[in-house]
Amino acid sequence: MELYEKKLAQLAKNGDRHAFRQLVDLYQQKIYHLAYRMLGNIQEAEDVVQDTFLRVYTNLGNYDPAQKFSTWIYRIGTNLCIDLLRKRKRKQKISLDANLYDSESTDGYAVLPSDENEQPDHRLVLSETKRQVQEAVDSLPEQYKSIVILRYLHDMSLQEISDVLDMPVTTIKTRLHRGREYLRGKIGSLQDSG
């Protein structure tokens, strides 16, 4: 598969649109799954998929065939997700700072709107355990979140994650361990409060 992907990448690099379409077909769902797990938002996940393939297309000339194509594309998708999470964090801070006090609300504090893309029927389908795990994963600090998702939801090896995130394997191991500990604590507290 790796040789096939490298061949497709080379053909696409030389202008073969059919080869690029095949790369999209191979990775579109994988990148969407990654983005949705990291962001928890359908629209943002779809945007990440589009941006990922736009960047792949415009940067095919920079792709090094010595590395796995999957590593390269996952790095692009993961970095786009991390950028969105950082922007979201900044927007939330600005929103909270600007709306901390609202004289029109009954208790004096602004009520922030819920996520419009959240689908209530989707939550009903999930079992309670799955919901708790998803909440715990969603709440992971960003330095752990991408590593946990790549390891357990995309079944990547520590070395592959190291290549995708451009971090030493020892850092990946440490963050994976801390991420698992965080999840254990978070799921335990959710179960205790439920």
Side-chain angles (χ1 to χ4, degrees):
M1 184 67 151
E2 188 178 333
L3 290 174
Y4 175 68
E5 291 172 356
K6 286 182 181 184
K7 180 69 173 165
L8 287 176
Q10 186 59 44
L11 289 170
K13 188 177 187 177
N14 294 332
D16 186 332
R17 290 176 185 238
H18 180 69
F20 184 74
R21 183 69 217 159
Q22 286 180 291
L23 288 171
V24 171
D25 290 344
L26 283 171
Y27 281 97
Q28 186 171 13
Q29 285 301 103
K30 293 174 184 177
I31 298 299
Y32 175 81
H33 183 70
L34 168 75
Y36 183 74
R37 290 295 187 167
M38 287 187 71
L39 303 169
N41 180 293
I42 293 170
Q43 184 62 48
E44 286 179 333
E46 290 170 351
D47 290 347
V48 164
V49 171
Q50 287 181 350
D51 289 346
T52 297
F53 285 105
L54 180 63
R55 288 193 184 188
V56 166
Y57 186 78
T58 58
N59 292 297
L60 271 170
N62 298 330
Y63 168 65
D64 177 9
Q67 69 173 313
K68 290 173 70 172
F69 184 80
S70 60
T71 299
W72 187 63
I73 195 168
Y74 272 108
R75 179 180 297 151
I76 293 169
T78 301
N79 285 339
L80 287 168
C81 289
I82 290 170
D83 289 346
L84 274 175
L85 288 169
R86 287 179 182 151
K87 285 178 189 172
R88 189 188 292 169
K89 200 179 286 185
R90 282 194 299 271
K91 281 183 184 176
Q92 285 174 343
K93 183 178 179 347
I94 290 169
S95 176
L96 286 172
D97 289 347
N99 294 315
L100 185 59
Y101 185 78
D102 181 358
S103 59
E104 293 179 16
S105 73
T106 57
D107 62 1
Y109 290 94
V111 177
L112 298 176
S114 63
D115 185 0
E116 294 173 15
N117 291 321
E118 189 172 334
Q119 299 174 353
D121 59 333
H122 181 67
R123 285 186 172 263
L124 292 175
V125 173
L126 295 175
S127 70
E128 184 62 20
T129 302
K130 284 184 178 179
R131 185 188 63 75
Q132 288 176 345
V133 169
Q134 185 62 49
E135 281 182 23
V137 169
D138 288 346
S139 71
L140 273 167
E142 73 181 53
Q143 72 263 29
Y144 307 141
K145 190 173 194 175
S146 57
I147 293 169
V148 168
I149 289 171
L150 290 171
R151 178 72 180 121
Y152 295 110
L153 300 177
H154 289 275
D155 205 26
M156 287 188 171
S157 70
L158 296 177
Q159 184 59 56
E160 288 172 322
I161 298 169
S162 170
D163 294 342
V164 166
L165 298 178
D166 198 25
M167 289 182 196
V169 173
T170 54
T171 303
I172 299 297
K173 284 181 183 177
T174 301
R175 290 186 179 184
L176 184 60
H177 174 73
R178 289 180 182 161
R180 282 192 307 248
E181 291 300 314
Y182 178 91
L183 288 174
R184 278 189 196 103
K186 190 72 171 179
I187 291 169
S189 69
L190 285 172
Q191 289 173 341
D192 291 344
S193 66

